C-alpha cells in the first residue's frame, strides 16, 4: 500500500505535501525518503503521543514539520511557513465517516483545484489559498 501511494506522487521536483492523520508515520517515512532536499512534508496529527513520536522520528529532517493539531489548520500552517500552495494531501483520516462540516474544514472546497484522477492516491489535491473552485 505504501509503495502504491508513493508511486502516484511526482517527486521529480520540490513539493509541499501534507499528510492528515499520519499515525505512526508509515507513509510519512516513505514520502520523506523520496522527497527532494527542498521539499516539505507537513504532518497533522491530533494524538499527542503519536505527534511526539513523529517529532522524534523526524527530528533530524528539517523538511518534515509535525503539527500536533487539526488538519483544518492547513491554510494557517502553509502561511506560517511561507508556502503559497500544497501540491499533495495524503489522508489517513477516514473521510467517509466524518460529518460534512469536518470534511469542509479539512478540505475547504472553495480553495481547491483537484488533480486529475491519474494523480490520486488516497486523497491528493492541489491546495492553494488563491485557487478558485473548478
Amino acid at each position: 500500500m505504501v509503495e502504491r501511494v508513493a508511486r502516484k506522487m511526482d517527486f521529480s521536483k520540490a513539493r509541499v505535501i501534507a499528510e492528515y492523520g499520519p499515525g505512526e508515520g508509515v507513509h510519512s517515512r516513505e514520502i520523506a525518503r523520496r522527497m527532494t532536499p527542498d521539499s516539505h512534508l507537513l504532518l497533522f496529527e491530533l494524538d499527542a503521543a503519536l505527534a511526539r513520536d513523529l517529532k522524534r522520528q523526524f527530528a533530524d529532517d528539517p523538511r518534515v514539520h509535525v503539527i500536533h493539531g487539526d488538519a483544518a489548520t492547513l491554510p494557517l500552517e502553509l502561511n506560517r511557513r511561507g508556502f503559497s500552495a500544497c501540491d499533495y494531501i495524503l489522508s489517513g483520516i477516514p473521510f467517509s465517516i466524518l460529518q460534512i462540516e469536518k470534511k469542509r474544514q479539512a478540505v475547504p472546497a472553495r480553495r481547491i483545484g483537484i488533480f486529475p484522477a491519474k494523480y490520486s492516491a488516497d486523497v491528493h489535491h492541489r491546495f492553494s489559498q488563491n485557487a478558485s473552485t473548478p
Side-chain angles (χ1 to χ4, degrees), residues 44 61 118:
F44 291 83
D61 192 339
K118 67 180 182 177

Side-chain angles (χ1 to χ4, degrees), residues 15-68:
R15 298 287 188 189
V16 175
I17 302 166
E19 184 177 359
Y20 295 170
E24 295 177 353
V26 175
H27 287 283
S28 314
R29 286 189 296 275
E30 183 63 21
I31 291 167
R33 187 184 72 75
R34 292 175 183 232
M35 289 187 330
T36 63
D38 50 348
S39 289
H40 292 272
L41 176 60
L42 285 69
L43 303 176
F44 291 83
E45 179 56 60
L46 284 174
D47 183 280
L50 290 172
R52 276 191 306 276
D53 184 56
L54 289 165
K55 285 180 182 180
R56 280 192 295 271
Q57 282 185 59
F58 294 104
D60 296 329
D61 192 339
R63 304 169 307 156
V64 179
H65 313 275
V66 178
I67 297 111
H68 174 222

